[in-house]
Amino acid sequence: MSNPLSATTRAARLARVSLLASVASVAGLALMPSAALAQVSDDESRIVVTGSRVVRDGSDAPTPLSVISGEEIDAEAPANIADFVNTLPSVSGSQTAVSNSGSLSNGKSGISALNLRSLGQSRTLVLLDGQRSVGSTSDGLVDINTFPQALIERVEVVTGGASSVYGSDAVAGVVNFILDKDFTGIKASYEYGVTTYSDVPNHLAQLTLGTEFAGGRGHLIVSGEYFNQTGKDFIDRDWNQSHYFMIENPDYVPGNGLPSRIVAPRIGSSNLTPGGLITGCRAGDDAASCPFDGTYFGTIDNTTGLASINDLNFGEVSGQWMVGGDYDYSSQGHVGSNSLANDEDRIGLFGRLSYEITPSFEVFAQASYNKFEGRSFYQQTPSVNVDIAIDNAYLPPELVAQIADYNATAAEPITAIRMGTSNAGIPAAGGDNTREVSRYVAGASGFFGLAGLELDWDTYFQHGEAKTDEMLINTWQNSRLDAMQDAVVSGGTIQCRVNTDSDPSNDLPGCVPINRIGVGGVTQEALDFLFEVYPSRQQEIKQDVVALNFSIGELFNTWEGPVSIAFGGEYREDSVDGYIDPVNLNRFLYGNYRVTTGKVNVKEGYVEALVPLGFGAEFNGAVRVTDYSTSGTVTTWKAGLSWQPLDDLRFRGTLSRDIRAPNLLELFDAGTARTNAVNIPIGGGAVRPEEFVERTLGNPDLEPEKADTLGLGVVFTPMFLPGFTASVDYFDIDIEGAVSTITAQQTVDLCFDGSEPELCDYIIYAAGSDTDVEFINRYPINFASQKSRGFDIEASYRAPIGNGALTLRGLATYTIENVSDSGFEVDDIAGVNAGGGIPTLVYRVSAGYAFDSGFSAVLVGRGFGDGVYDNDWIECTTGCPTSDNLNRTINTNSIKGTFYLDSNFNYDFEVGGVEATALFAVKNVFDRAPVLIGNGPFGNNTEAYPQTNRSLYDTLGRTFRLGLSIKY
């Protein structure tokens, strides 16, 4: 027996309106695909389209909408839903568990979050059945891998502002994951994936049960999934061995006609080696003349326990870099030490119970639980400015003797050498994160008559919690390592100086000396003591939502038809709190965690109307008034018009005012810090590398961002070619008062060139020094603007051909500009294929054929066009104009695009009344290596990271997936 509130019955009765939040998630209304897919053929099928809360035919969608069906997702067999969604052009380059392995101190490692139009993850609203979901981080990022993948019926992507419909954050658009809430039966699946290099194996198992009871009035669904992946802790692919980086040109002098930056292979570190490179000498607390610069410590002799000493062959030096020379040795162990893929263990549970008390009244309850445990590695940690006293027990006697000879006649005797090291023997630093996300929803829906009108209503309460346990591994407390490395001979044994000097206040009980001089001297005992304490943080992020919504299908009739409205209100409260062990207050190299504590509440009311105008035209408008506890009241609105002068042709346009409220982290960040590096200008075009601690603090005075969005489009559905649909939509998003911070390097550049002297106050020097940078502070403020313009193009064709059915589909996004203006710098990232950019053209095309016999095949081509490093940079090799911070000159400013081919094969068969599907999928069939991109010229992690932009390019290579699913 079918549910009386099923899609067809309920939609036909509701005629034209209802609310997505209520009907889609409460009443179990099945949303049909969008106009672009041209799949609505039944005139009685009424649907709620993401982007509007008004029920309508899919072909009447007022806002550009792309829909990916569950069948398409299953055919490509992604290891997780994020891997599939990120192939869509509009969200290309979003954050994944692969691309964020270095996100340690902010706790984002392992999260997959969406970023529409590269306007920022926080400007994309992610919904589950039209409802918000609690974020997995304090800045509100929703990890889409917490959604029950086995129940995803389709994914709808609205590429336009929708704040008047859904509230804050829908500036770039909405991604709505629709679940199959009417599933009945049993289905189970298992999939295995691995790369062509026999690494990164993963397993995915899913089990789902659905059943009706009480004569079809009730429905119960239970689903669970388990995913496990063995990561790759370093990048060992051949393409990552080129030492291809960007540096400040060592031959550049202002006015000499050479480019100020160069991108080239055979580049390595000039300020460190695996076992230590002497870069200076100290006389007490002051720098001293140093004839030993360039001496490095090699492999330790097992018989003597002492390192060899050698002279480094320097190439052309530029700050922390050099071209040629012993570049390969100096960077050994550091290059590629970032994780290629993270270790991951995920479990997800989902349950939903609905019951129709009467034909006009239904209640439901829904619960989900997800647990993620993941580990990834940031880098083999380099250290610069490491001071080793000349009486250190591990210094080779040969060097000690040379220093003694020098000191005998020196005006300033050397008391310590200063070295840079990539810390061979100390494991790479990384993150070990656990996140538990729980979500509970309960509500009711129904309809009643009032004053001759039929009202539909729904209400629900949602409570979400994300509990995070963030821990860093293989990172050290700076004071502890300082004590351990200051090793001296006392009483015939090597001990930590702090325990042998006359000052008992600096004792470190149990201190184990560590040998950082040379390769092969670090003992397990020393490592155990070094990592005896570690930074960690526990946080709890909560979200409570109460909503009440009404809709009237026929408020009154005009000459053209009924006017429909939807209206309602919502209260939402978001909070974050946590705990850190007091040990975190002692400075660590990484993971200087602080607890973000704060709470905001939001009260909202909205109304939306649909008015037929005649002559094939229809108006859709909405207004929402929102009151934030931190920043007051704002109003958002939308005015949309669609016009269909011919059966084959429909025009649509929308103008809207949208907002994004500052998130909890932007408001209340307590100053979580991370170690970073910048290049300090020292005159004549030269720079000095400087390692420091970067601190980002919250700003409770932030106000909501405001965006004006214009969308214009046309949909073509020719009657002479049944099954074909094409659409072209223009978008123009203009954000004012954008919340932003400037980077640490920008802070340094703008301070030192004198253009923004107030930024010099953000640079904090070590006590007693005006050159050694200790901290650089960053604050979010409403000072920026951002504008994005471009086109979305979509076409599809479906037709029975021969003994089967053919399906063709293409999606593309062409970005004209994506310009941010910080007030200090105007930056257009459209056409930038380097990190942080968005290609001008991104596309995805697919061709599938399903045989009547049960065999089907789908080929997917995806890629993007050529780009640049920066739109303002000037490519030249000779005769270059003068370079400045904005219009830099560079020897090459071009980055090739790429094309990937994926293949997917499925075979449907039946065994003993049980439906089964076997699948085989290959991603990146031709095993195309990523295009090399010269990252740099600053940052102490540049060598560790992949020598490409892994947000765009595939770094794993060819991958295979095998699977079997059954359904009964």
Side-chain angles (χ1 to χ4, degrees), residues 217-238:
R217 296 171 65 185
H219 200 95
L220 174 67
I221 299 176
V222 178
S223 182
E225 67 179 55
Y226 175 72
F227 177 80
N228 173 269
Q229 175 175 282
T230 301
K232 186 78 171 179
D233 297 339
F234 49 89
I235 306 168
D236 63 350
R237 302 294 192 255
D238 289 343

Side-chain angles (χ1 to χ4, degrees), residues 291-340:
F292 308 103
D293 279 358
T295 300
Y296 74 88
F297 303 104
T299 303
I300 291 177
D301 187 327
N302 290 330
T303 59
T304 65
L306 298 171
S308 63
I309 56 175
N310 312 272
D311 291 326
L312 188 70
N313 176 21
F314 287 95
E316 287 190 281
V317 174
S318 173
Q320 70 189 71
W321 303 100
M322 66 180 179
V323 184
D326 290 336
Y327 74 92
D328 190 42
Y329 177 77
S330 66
S331 300
Q332 194 176 96
H334 189 212
V335 167
S337 55
N338 180 250
S339 288
L340 177 67

Side-chain angles (χ1 to χ4, degrees), residues 56-76:
R56 57 182 60 240
D57 293 332
S59 59
D60 292 333
T63 309
L65 178 69
S66 293
V67 179
I68 304 299
S69 69
E71 289 77 9
E72 289 179 86
I73 297 172
D74 292 342
E76 295 194 29

Side-chain angles (χ1 to χ4, degrees), residues 71 74 150-151 180 182-189 206-210 908-918 964-968:
E71 289 77 9
D74 292 342
L151 281 171
D180 180 4
D182 292 323
F183 174 77
T184 300
I186 300 173
K187 63 179 178 179
S189 66
Q206 299 172 325
L207 177 63
T208 303
L209 300 91
D908 298 330
F909 58 98
E910 187 172 313
V911 178
V914 177
E915 299 176 7
T917 300
L964 178 68
S965 64
I966 59 173
K967 181 179 179 181
Y968 177 74

Side-chain angles (χ1 to χ4, degrees), residues 571 573-576 597-601 629-630 664 667-668:
Y571 175 82
E573 185 172 284
D574 294 283
S575 64
V576 60
T597 302
K599 180 168 62 175
V600 296
N601 64 68
S629 59
T630 55
L664 293 168
L667 290 168
F668 306 116

